Amino acid sequence: MNNPADTLLHSPPPKTKLSIALVGNPNSGKSTIFNLLTGLNQKVGNYPGVTVDKKSGKTKLSGNTSAEIIDLPGTYSLYPRAADEKVVLDVLMHPEKEKRPDVAVVIADMNNLERNLLLFTQIRDLSIPSVLVLNMADIARKKGTSVDLKVLSHRLGNVPVVSMNARSGEGLDELKQVLSQPIAHADEAFLDVYPLAPESIAEVKQMYGVSNYYEAYQWLQSAERLRFIDDKQEAQLKSIRNAFGFDPNQLQITETTERYRKIQQILQDAVRIPESEEKSSLSDRIDHILTHKVWGYLSFFVILFLIFQAIFAWASVPMDFIDYLFAEFSGWIQNNLPDGILTSLLAEGIVPGVGGIVIFVPQIAILFAFIALLEESGYMSRVVFLMDKVMRKVGLNGRSVVPLISGLACAIPAIMATRSIDSWKDRLITIMVTPLMSCSARLPVYTVLIALVVPASNVWGFINLQGIVLMGMYLLGFLAALGSAWVMKLIVKTKERSFLIMEMPAYRWPRWGNVGFTVLEKSKTFVFEAGKIIFAVSIVLWVLASYGPGDDIAQGEQQVREQAENSNDPALIENLDVAIATSQLENSYAGKFGKWIEPVIRPLGYDWKIGIALITSFAAREVFVGTMATLYSVGEDFDDESTIIGRMRSERNPETGQQVFRPAVAFSLLVFYAFAMQCMSTIAVVYRETKGWKWPVIQTVYMTVLAYVSALAVYQLFS
Amino acid sequence: MNEAQMLLMKTLDQLKPGEHAVIKNIKSSALTIKLLEMGLLPGKEVKYNYRAPLGDPISVKISGYNLSLRIDEASQVEII
């Protein structure tokens, strides 16, 4: 394609690859339109330099025109308070013009045009070619609202306006049609900000060569927030503000009021809203129940309970099947490939390691499906509403609930989700305690340990006992998070005040497509991200478990053989293979590591094999299971016990003959894994989000101490 | 405005569930712009929906949508 001859033949080359940014208020249906446009061609990354999720995808507009669609975080205006909203301004005002999106598609809810148009007029005034999409046309029709698209388009400066119902796909073709034509940006500003602060705006425009007045005005407004403005420029801008009396807050108020005044005039001419007879909508009636002081909390509890039951009950069938497949595959490799290092690396390291991850996909998918459902239906904001006051008591706020619940899936997106919390102190405390929420990486560990010591029986005939213990573990994490937040509230001091001004969207049926996309995307991320670490750790671990310093392994084996020959113990002779394998592992590098930390972990009831798992799972908790799978696979005969749980259950202490994973040990491990900061990626994200090592270090130390002390207490209590 | 008038000025948090009012002014604070952006504009009709079970925050209806805000924040909104 990039053949220079081509360029010569067809010059100038028509732009066949557009970049289109989707912008809009939260709850305007932006993600539905994004999914509609991009389908399965989506990918998630980070905006360069920031940890905010960047969703992008490809779409075909017409003929040979394709486009990259970028989904920007939802925002109500260009004046961001929360960290994620800042990205919008950063992308739209990128100093290199080629890196700005070619077109901004602004999605507006047709039923609340006034508020939605505020953002539109601001974006339009940045001289970005814009298209206005009026979404939820079906609801507007039902209410009897009618919008004169021609008048609206004309009065907004001849911008293309498309009416859509993203749920049914109505209007999609028209949107694509509009986007495949060249779109001009409006020549005249919707609101001329120049008279508001003429000297300073002129100064900035000249100094930095920005294209229009509104952009120059935004440089002044957002000097501290824009990432591409460096410290020197920021200082310059501040001095310009001072020199000409540019008061950002006052000007924002004036600008916003002016915009609303003009928008109201336009809407008077373009929109006909029927005199609404005051009757409570279905959504309001549902709220009467779901925000009720008794029924509200009860429903919340029931929903959570349902999630945990589902994770255990529904997921077990596919999980057993995956478990069986990987065990069979391991055995097949061992039996059918020629003996050798590669075969044993595959059968004992890689396959069990990868299997240890894939098996948890069903549970993770269910968890993410529920979280997506809660978001999609509009229920999540009711949870924020219900919990705000409780959360404030411990130093968090209602919005902390979303990261905390997301933390049930994974701390990394959850910590990134704290970017929607406007107050720094609230956000910091949320970041500090979110990793205590039981994430999906703990799920494998919990599942295995609970299955080991809790019978799979039912209580009252239908409630799964293992599900109850699992829920208890989640509750434990939640209580620990609240407790830690309360302690931190007393320590962290700040003058900034926190607030909660939040839209409560009407309840809607979830769009299953959106839920599906979320589940697919999150499961994929889990498998590949966690998979990478586990894959690497499995290989390293296999090497460490298969080789030892000098000829320790050979000597150890020799000793066991001699011991067997000299004694007449029939048990030892019969289990010679197992005894040799154990001695090999004990003398390997991994074994030496485990032995080395054994004195520290013995008070918790752990042996050196668990010690190895503890060390490796400081990288990521789910490695525990992979480690167990690898450690117990090494030298294992694949014919009898095929599953990891079976192998762990039969594991006995060679000296005492006691079961290794007896209840006291399993419970102690459960608590340790609930509290310890065993996740490199979380530490890295906290470092990025708090811009320094102070908080991640404090966090790692306090969580590890909490884990050790609690595990110690639990072990002593149960043994 | 003298002190007596200040005391008489009613704010959004003083309404009772189900009551309507018209927004008169947003007191000047760091939150003014946020409240304006969310559509709490002078002259708009606002309805007090209900309060959260623990008394705070509250839910109001403005321009046909539901907004939740804390008592503290609602007290910034002057109504008639």
Side-chain angles (χ1 to χ4, degrees):
Chain A
M1 283 300 271
N2 285 332
N3 190 334
D6 276 351
T7 329
L8 285 177
L9 282 173
H10 311 280
S11 60
K15 192 149 188 180
T16 52
K17 185 89 176 95
L18 288 167
S19 79
I20 296 171
L22 296 189
V23 218
N25 286 184
N27 311 306
S28 58
K30 214 158 51 68
S31 51
T32 308
I33 292 183
F34 176 75
N35 290 337
L36 210 56
L37 281 168
T38 57
L40 288 166
N41 303 312
Q42 306 180 355
K43 62 174 195 280
V44 182
N46 280 336
Y47 287 102
V50 279
T51 42
V52 174
D53 261 359
K54 178 191 185 178
K55 276 176 101 176
S56 64
K58 290 193 175 60
T59 193
K60 205 169 164 82
L61 293 174
S62 74
N64 61 347
T65 318
S66 63
E68 196 203 12
I69 311 284
I70 307 151
D71 191 18
L72 290 174
T75 181
Y76 291 103
S77 79
L78 287 185
Y79 298 112
R81 263 152 222 86
D84 57 351
E85 298 167 357
K86 290 180 188 163
V87 172
V88 179
L89 203 54
D90 262 331
V91 171
L92 296 178
M93 284 181 48
H94 201 286
E96 291 168 56
K97 293 247 158 46
E98 308 77 52
K99 291 197 175 158
R100 288 189 197 177
D102 299 309
V103 178
V105 173
V106 184
I107 321 283
D109 178 349
M110 204 190 252
N111 303 286
N112 192 348
L113 273 182
E114 189 176 289
R115 198 196 64 211
N116 279 266
L117 283 181
L118 178 72
L119 177 68
F120 174 80
T121 66
Q122 288 179 332
I123 287 173
R124 177 200 170 288
D125 283 355
L126 286 174
S127 285
I128 298 168
S130 309
V131 174
L132 177 64
V133 169
L134 306 184
N135 194 19
M136 310 191 186
D138 52 328
I139 301 176
R141 264 198 300 269
K142 221 192 273 170
K143 282 187 179 169
T145 306
S146 69
V147 180
D148 188 331
L149 300 185
K150 276 214 182 80
V151 171
L152 189 61
S153 161
H154 174 69
R155 295 283 294 273
L156 289 172
N158 291 322
V159 287
V161 179
V162 179
S163 132
M164 269 187 96
N165 170 16
R167 286 168 161 263
S168 68
E170 173 198 325
L172 179 67
D173 290 339
E174 201 196 334
L175 175 62
K176 284 187 170 182
Q177 171 73 33
V178 166
L179 287 172
S180 58
Q181 310 288 329
I183 295 161
H185 67 76
D187 297 325
E188 238 175 90
F190 178 80
L191 178 76
D192 187 7
V193 288
Y194 184 69
L196 295 180
E199 301 98 338
S200 41
I201 290 177
E203 180 88 9
V204 171
K205 189 165 186 284
Q206 193 218 350
M207 211 161 148
Y208 301 104
V210 293
S211 61
N212 71 18
Y213 289 137
Y214 192 58
E215 204 175 329
Y217 169 86
Q218 279 297 346
W219 276 60
L220 285 158
Q221 277 288 0
S222 300
E224 298 91 346
R225 291 185 289 249
L226 286 163
R227 263 190 325 117
F228 57 76
I229 290 178
D230 61 33
D231 292 349
K232 200 179 127 223
Q233 288 172 326
E234 191 182 319
Q236 283 171 345
L237 289 164
K238 279 181 180 163
S239 67
I240 295 175
R241 273 189 208 161
N242 290 336
F244 300 107
F246 186 104
D247 177 352
N249 275 326
Q250 197 47 52
L251 284 171
Q252 277 178 30
I253 292 173
T254 314
E255 182 204 333
T256 307
T257 317
E258 271 304 294
R259 281 185 192 279
Y260 267 130
R261 199 179 53 78
K262 295 191 84 168
I263 291 169
Q264 281 168 349
Q265 281 172 359
I266 294 175
L267 291 183
Q268 243 164 29
D269 298 338
V271 179
R272 207 159 303 281
I273 302 172
E275 283 297 316
S276 64
E277 68 278 34
E278 177 68 38
K279 67 166 197 228
S280 69
S281 66
L282 178 63
S283 198
D284 289 341
R285 287 199 299 265
I286 297 174
D287 261 346
H288 265 291
I289 301 166
L290 290 186
T291 61
H292 186 268
K293 54 185 156 234
V294 179
W295 307 125
Y297 291 108
L298 198 67
S299 326
F300 184 40
F301 183 77
V302 167
I303 289 170
L304 286 182
F305 185 73
L306 197 81
I307 295 175
F308 296 119
Q309 285 295 310
I311 287 173
F312 245 85
W314 306 349
S316 64
V317 177
M319 286 176 76
D320 288 345
F321 181 67
I322 295 170
D323 198 16
Y324 167 81
L325 275 187
F326 273 88
E328 283 292 299
F329 188 43
S330 252
W332 182 87
I333 291 171
Q334 201 149 53
N335 295 331
N336 292 283
L337 295 185
D339 273 354
I341 292 182
L342 199 63
T343 301
S344 84
L345 173 62
L346 265 178
E348 296 168 357
I350 294 172
V351 173
V354 172
I357 278 311
V358 175
I359 189 168
F360 296 102
V361 170
Q363 291 186 331
I364 282 154
I366 290 175
L367 190 59
F368 276 115
F370 272 105
I371 289 179
L373 277 177
L374 297 186
E375 287 273 13
E376 274 278 310
S377 59
Y379 183 66
M380 209 60 123
S381 66
R382 272 68 185 188
V383 176
V384 173
F385 185 72
L386 282 178
M387 301 297 283
D388 185 58
K389 195 162 182 195
V390 183
M391 292 307 212
R392 274 157 84 187
K393 288 222 161 74
V394 297
L396 301 166
N397 81 39
R399 280 193 204 273
S400 311
V401 176
V402 180
L404 290 181
I405 292 183
S406 311
L408 295 176
C410 177
I412 295 153
I415 284 171
M416 279 157 59
T418 62
R419 291 186 155 232
S420 65
I421 301 174
D422 329 71
S423 138
W424 167 243
K425 181 180 174 177
D426 291 359
R427 182 170 167 224
L428 179 67
I429 297 180
T430 311
I431 290 175
M432 292 297 277
V433 304
T434 293
L436 286 169
M437 297 301 286
S438 286
C439 64
S440 55
R442 288 176 178 94
L443 201 51
V445 184
Y446 289 171
T447 313
V448 165
L449 292 171
I450 289 174
L452 270 176
V453 290
V454 178
S457 55
N458 284 348
V459 187
W460 302 326
F462 65 98
I463 299 170
N464 184 306
L465 191 60
Q466 293 182 333
I468 291 184
V469 176
L470 183 73
M471 187 167 174
M473 291 310 299
Y474 280 83
L475 205 63
L476 186 69
F478 177 63
L479 292 177
L482 289 192
S484 311
W486 183 75
V487 173
M488 270 171 236
K489 176 190 162 189
L490 303 178
I491 300 170
V492 183
K493 296 278 174 232
T494 180
K495 272 181 273 172
E496 197 189 8
R497 80 187 252 193
S498 90
F499 65 94
L500 183 90
I501 300 170
M502 176 190 67
E503 181 178 356
M504 300 225 281
Y507 290 104
R508 308 215 60 183
W509 281 113
R511 285 138 292 188
W512 298 105
N514 289 358
V515 177
F517 279 119
T518 308
V519 169
L520 195 72
E521 172 204 306
K522 303 283 180 183
S523 310
K524 222 164 70 182
T525 316
F526 173 80
V527 171
F528 289 111
E529 291 305 309
K532 258 189 278 182
I533 301 174
I534 287 167
F535 189 73
V537 172
S538 300
I539 294 175
V540 171
L541 200 65
W542 177 85
V543 171
L544 291 179
S546 304
Y547 298 93
D551 56 355
D552 283 10
I553 289 187
Q555 271 180 14
E557 186 181 340
Q558 189 64 30
Q559 261 175 18
V560 176
R561 283 188 194 283
E562 276 168 18
Q563 206 183 341
E565 275 166 31
N566 296 339
S567 77
N568 290 323
D569 184 358
L572 183 57
I573 295 165
E574 198 180 318
N575 293 317
L576 189 61
D577 283 351
V578 177
I580 289 174
T582 308
S583 134
Q584 280 173 339
L585 186 60
E586 214 168 338
N587 285 303
S588 69
Y589 290 110
K592 305 253 170 195
F593 265 129
K595 294 266 181 193
W596 180 65
I597 67 153
E598 206 173 19
V600 183
I601 56 171
R602 186 166 288 147
L604 311 182
Y606 311 155
D607 67 357
W608 54 274
K609 278 191 182 178
I610 300 176
I612 298 173
L614 281 188
I615 289 180
T616 54
S617 55
F618 259 92
R621 297 176 186 89
E622 61 271 44
V623 172
F624 172 81
V625 178
T627 303
M628 286 290 146
T630 307
L631 284 183
Y632 292 124
S633 302
V634 173
E636 187 79 13
D637 188 350
F638 277 86
D639 291 339
D640 42 8
E641 280 292 351
S642 58
T643 66
I644 167 75
I645 291 172
R647 273 181 234 146
M648 283 169 70
R649 189 172 281 145
S650 60
E651 181 73 3
R652 281 174 192 282
N653 184 321
E655 284 147 41
T656 61
Q658 222 179 359
Q659 202 183 1
V660 170
F661 292 96
R662 51 193 189 283
V665 175
F667 287 126
S668 160
L669 267 174
L670 277 172
V671 171
F672 190 89
Y673 275 88
F675 295 156
M677 169 56 116
Q678 295 161 299
C679 183
M680 299 283 196
S681 319
T682 304
I683 297 176
V685 164
V686 174
Y687 167 74
R688 274 197 291 182
E689 295 291 322
T690 61
K691 300 188 180 72
W693 281 114
K694 180 181 165 192
W695 295 109
V697 167
I698 293 177
Q699 188 176 33
T700 309
V701 170
Y702 100 80
M703 286 179 67
T704 308
V705 169
L706 181 65
Y708 189 90
V709 173
S710 320
L712 182 69
V714 167
Y715 179 71
Q716 301 301 337
L717 207 69
F718 278 88
S719 60
Chain B
M1 206 187 300
N2 63 38
E3 213 165 296
Q5 278 173 312
M6 294 270 279
L7 285 171
L8 280 174
M9 185 55 78
K10 218 177 166 190
T11 51
L12 185 53
D13 57 303
Q14 292 162 6
L15 285 178
K16 291 192 181 61
E19 281 183 353
H20 294 252
V22 173
I23 297 175
K24 184 163 183 279
N25 181 40
I26 312 278
K27 288 185 201 165
S28 183
S29 77
L31 295 177
T32 312
I33 178 74
K34 179 74 187 169
L35 293 167
L36 284 177
E37 277 173 12
M38 296 306 282
L40 292 164
L41 303 165
K44 284 256 159 191
E45 189 177 294
V46 61
K47 181 191 168 202
Y48 188 115
N49 289 334
Y50 47 81
R51 58 179 81 226
L54 301 171
D56 193 10
I58 63 169
S59 158
V60 301
K61 182 160 255 166
I62 178 102
S63 304
Y65 88 100
N66 289 333
L67 179 75
S68 120
L69 68 173
R70 292 178 182 164
I71 297 282
D72 221 25
E73 291 139 20
S75 69
Q76 303 294 308
V77 182
E78 296 174 343
I79 48 166
I80 37 175

